[in-house]
Amino acid sequence: RWRLVRARSTPSRTEHLATALAAHDRMRWVRASRDHGELVYGLVSPDASTDGVLQRLPNLPGVRSMTAYELLQVWPPRGGEAVVVPPAPLDALDRRIIDVLSTDGRTSNREIARTTRVNETTVARHRARLEEWGVLYYEADIAQAAVGRRHDAMLWMDVAPGHIVEAGTRLQALPECRFVAVTSGPSTLVANVATESAPALVALVDTHLAGVVRRVEMLTMGRVFKRHAGPSTPV
């Protein structure tokens, strides 16, 4: 299962902690807040109660507190809906296809077939099924500063029942929104948005979330320590 973790940290230790986290293969991305007082990272974790990474982190020097959120529903930026739990169990070939594409989403079926030593037609069938289920989808990772969006923030939102899907759908439709999901824990929704300025961020929240979000915490983000989904090496 996908989990998103907030770890409040001593600013002098944040870079060290982030670098260590980025070295784990199960980490999908690792970021620090602009003031270096918090780390936000995403990982694949089947069971939080037995996950060694999640259990060890609160005891590391510099970590003040930690909250792990399970992602219950995810909206991909390009439309449609990603799934956290597939409608049927994934087999070994499904997982191998995902591993290959998480490293390079442009990999052809022919190349995957060569790597996995499976017939190309079989690979194509499995890949199409993963796409149909919403388990597999593709994103373009664009440096937001390059398109004029230099103010990057995580939004942690408290949403009343009856408005959760509406709020997520509103955010997903915005070009400034890079990610939005329903979470377990103290926040109902989390999103990552990038705007031209701080006033533009406030205007986005005021304009698009009024009436559906009861409370929002805006955490401005800084350095990216890891941003890809494939196996990693230490930063």
Side-chain angles (χ1 to χ4, degrees):
R1 293 181 179 274
W2 279 91
R3 300 186 192 277
L4 199 61
V5 181
R6 299 182 70 177
R8 291 177 174 83
S9 56
T10 303
S12 61
R13 295 285 299 173
T14 296
E15 185 169 342
H16 174 79
L17 290 167
T19 301
L21 287 168
H24 285 273
D25 286 345
R26 285 193 293 109
M27 293 294 167
R28 294 313 191 231
W29 53 275
V30 181
R31 301 197 63 187
S33 61
R34 185 172 296 180
D35 63 4
H36 266 222
E38 187 166 324
L39 285 170
V40 181
Y41 62 92
L43 78 161
V44 176
S45 175
D47 186 349
S49 65
T50 59
D51 190 307
V53 175
L54 292 176
Q55 290 182 341
R56 287 194 301 271
L57 186 66
N59 300 318
L60 294 178
V63 177
R64 295 173 172 172
S65 65
M66 189 193 85
T67 306
Y69 301 81
E70 182 180 339
L71 302 187
L72 304 176
Q73 180 175 333
V74 180
W75 285 268
R78 289 188 175 182
E81 181 179 328
V83 299
V84 179
V85 180
L90 304 185
D91 61 25
L93 179 57
D94 291 329
R95 296 182 185 280
R96 182 59 182 144
I97 291 171
I98 291 170
D99 285 343
V100 172
L101 292 172
S102 67
T103 301
D104 184 356
R106 297 170 296 181
T107 306
S108 67
N109 289 340
R110 177 175 296 180
E111 181 61 22
I112 296 173
R114 187 191 66 79
T115 302
T116 59
R117 298 181 180 180
V118 175
N119 181 277
E120 185 178 344
T121 302
T122 302
V123 169
R125 185 174 65 252
H126 279 249
R127 184 173 183 171
R129 184 179 65 180
L130 291 170
E131 292 170 349
E132 180 183 353
W133 284 351
V135 172
L136 180 62
Y137 61 95
Y138 308 92
E139 297 179 10
D141 190 1
I142 300 169
Q144 295 300 296
V147 292
R149 298 183 187 131
R150 300 180 180 277
H151 206 82
D152 187 348
M154 297 294 294
L155 305 181
W156 300 90
M157 295 159 279
D158 178 19
V159 183
H163 296 290
I164 296 172
V165 173
E166 179 185 358
T169 303
R170 282 191 189 184
L171 283 164
Q172 180 201 28
L174 300 177
E176 298 88 350
C177 184
R178 307 177 72 191
F179 163 83
V180 59
V182 182
T183 72
S184 63
S187 293
T188 316
L189 277 180
V190 61
N192 177 226
V193 298
T195 61
E196 297 175 356
S197 62
L201 172 63
V202 175
L204 181 150
V205 171
D206 253 359
T207 302
H208 297 285
L209 299 181
V212 295
V213 173
R214 295 187 295 197
R215 185 188 65 84
V216 59
E217 179 184 354
M218 294 179 277
L219 179 70
T220 53
M221 301 305 294
R223 180 178 170 185
V224 177
F225 289 83
K226 186 175 184 180
R227 70 164 76 242
H228 60 82
S232 69
T233 54
V235 175

